[in-house]
């Protein structure tokens, strides 16, 4: 007869010699996280720079030392970019290409 719940539960098998590599899986996991963090930084930093630069003046973009946060955000860059290229024509070309391609 079973005296306690613990006696009724199956016992885990003792780890084999192959599974007793203490720390190996932990170091692999830490190494994986370090590689993922490096990837996030390698991808995220240029994206952040591009977004921050959209709100900076030209002088502030090329200033040394680098400013990571715009001192005085500028929205006029968006209007200048919109008028610098014929985006209306680009949209028409996209619609034509989409309609003819499908």
């Amino acid at each position: 007869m079973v005296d306690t719940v613990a006696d009724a539960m199956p016992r885990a098998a003792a780890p084999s010699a192959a599974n007793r590599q203490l720390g190996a899986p932990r170091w692999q996991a830490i190494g994986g996280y370090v590689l993922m963090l490096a990837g996030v930084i390698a991808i995220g930093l240029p994206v952040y720079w591009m977004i921050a630069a959209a709100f900076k003046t030209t002088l502030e973009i090329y200033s040394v030392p680098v400013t990571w946060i715009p001192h005085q955000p500028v929205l006029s860059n968006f209007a200048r970019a919109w008028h610098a290229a014929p985006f209306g024509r680009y949209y028409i070309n996209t619609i034509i290409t989409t309609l003819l391609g499908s």
Side-chain angles (χ1 to χ4, degrees), residues 39-66:
V40 167
I41 291 171
I43 293 169
L45 195 60
V47 171
Y48 171 77
W49 180 260
M50 179 182 61
I51 293 170
F55 295 98
K56 294 180 181 181
T57 63
T58 304
L59 291 174
E60 192 174 2
I61 290 172
Y62 294 111
S63 68
V64 176
V66 173

Side-chain angles (χ1 to χ4, degrees), residues 24-40:
R26 174 180 245 174
W27 286 111
Q28 289 174 354
I30 291 172
Y33 286 123
V34 168
L35 285 174
M36 284 189 286
L37 180 63
V40 167

Side-chain angles (χ1 to χ4, degrees), residues 66-83:
V66 173
T67 56
W68 292 100
I69 300 172
H71 291 296
Q72 293 181 344
V74 178
L75 295 176
S76 63
N77 293 338
F78 296 99
R80 284 190 329 181
W82 186 262
H83 294 297

